[in-house]
Amino acid sequence: GAVVSQHPSWVICKSGTSVKIECRSLDFQATTMFWYRQFPKQSLMLMATSNEGSKATYEQGVEKDKFLINHASLTLSTLTVTSAHPEDSSFYICSATSGERAYNEQFFGPGTRLTVL
Amino acid sequence: GQSLEQPSEVTAVEGAIVQINCTYQTSGFYGLSWYQQHDGGAPTFLSYNALDGLEETGRFSSFLSRSDSYGYLLLQELQMKDSASYFCAVPFNTNAGKSTFGDGTTLTVKP
């Protein structure tokens, strides 16, 4: 149980276009999902907390107009990178926590590698 | 704020034992987690300590000392497949998803 999927797994786009990444909890309801960004050989940086039915909470330094987050249902959160530029190229990972294990364990999606040309 | 420190790289041979340390500074403490991440993959949960002491799960064990703001991950009987990055993490609050991660320790297991 506790499986999280992401789609697409990788995407290449031109500078100036927008890219949408989906994160789904497949076998549990996730009232809260999280979006992380990771550069090669670096740590995971929390970008935002996505709450079902309400606005996302962004971490300091993360542009909310650049990274649009929508949590449409208890099993789906989307991250849209708007007007992407090469510096947005990164590995984007979502995670979710579930019920009684929310205290100590998060379940990660497989990640989406974004390359902006 | 929250910050964590762990060694950047560790190398060991198959069958050996390795300890990866993590020291942390947090404004509030809810526990220390460990995650494994293979190159190009997503992090996977390994262990969690909320109280002092050692938690054992198969070949992996995790230790916490809250008074020292210190923990470690112990990997025994190393296998080649254990080559990966290992991150310690502390939650901001009672939801583990909102966590600060250390910079990661790259473990290389050699034959």
Side-chain angles (χ1 to χ4, degrees):
Chain A
V3 178
V4 176
S5 70
Q6 267 183 257
H7 178 81
S9 55
W10 59 269
V11 57
I12 301 173
C13 68
K14 291 183 179 180
S15 187
T17 61
S18 294
V19 174
K20 179 186 282 190
I21 302 169
E22 292 187 349
C23 177
R24 293 181 184 271
S25 56
L26 298 185
D27 52 2
F28 66 100
Q29 293 185 331
T31 54
T32 307
M33 290 183 173
F34 304 87
W35 287 95
Y36 289 85
R37 181 175 183 178
Q38 187 178 36
F39 291 105
K41 303 297 183 185
Q42 294 189 23
S43 187
L44 291 90
M45 184 190 78
L46 179 65
M47 299 175 66
T49 302
S50 170
N51 298 294
E52 187 267 336
S54 63
K55 290 183 179 180
T57 304
Y58 291 82
E59 296 302 307
Q60 192 173 9
V62 178
E63 299 176 60
K64 61 181 181 181
D65 295 329
K66 173 77 172 175
F67 299 100
L68 299 179
I69 291 172
N70 182 274
H71 199 136
S73 73
L74 287 172
T75 59
L76 173 65
S77 176
T78 60
L79 168 68
T80 301
V81 183
T82 61
S83 187
H85 290 285
E87 58 266 28
D88 298 324
S89 298
S90 189
F91 192 49
Y92 292 88
I93 311 175
C94 70
S95 76
T97 52
S98 168
E100 68 277 8
R101 285 195 282 182
Y103 204 97
N104 62 12
E105 181 175 356
Q106 52 180 315
F107 304 97
F108 285 90
T112 297
R113 189 161 301 282
L114 170 64
T115 302
V116 185
L117 303 177
Chain B
Q2 298 181 243
S3 66
L4 300 97
E5 280 193 29
Q6 52 181 129
S8 58
E9 295 180 345
V10 172
T11 302
V13 297
E14 266 188 304
I17 299 173
V18 149
Q19 179 175 312
I20 300 174
N21 298 320
C22 174
T23 56
Y24 59 86
Q25 287 187 323
T26 61
S27 52
F29 184 73
Y30 300 93
L32 182 70
S33 299
W34 288 92
Y35 290 84
Q36 178 192 62
Q37 185 181 30
H38 285 98
D39 203 25
T44 56
F45 174 82
L46 291 177
S47 68
Y48 169 78
N49 295 68
L51 302 175
D52 290 351
L54 189 69
E55 296 278 345
E56 297 181 63
T57 309
R59 294 187 298 114
F60 294 0
S61 303
S62 58
F63 171 83
L64 175 68
S65 169
R66 289 175 297 170
S67 60
D68 296 322
S69 297
Y70 161 77
Y72 66 72
L73 179 70
L74 189 73
L75 299 86
Q76 303 182 72
E77 300 173 24
L78 282 175
Q79 302 175 7
M80 297 295 289
K81 66 178 182 179
D82 297 330
S83 292
S85 291
Y86 293 85
F87 295 90
C88 56
V90 289
F92 285 46
N93 51 37
T94 56
N95 194 318
K98 193 172 171 66
S99 292
T100 297
F101 283 75
D103 288 342
T105 299
T106 301
L107 170 64
T108 303
V109 180
K110 295 186 174 181

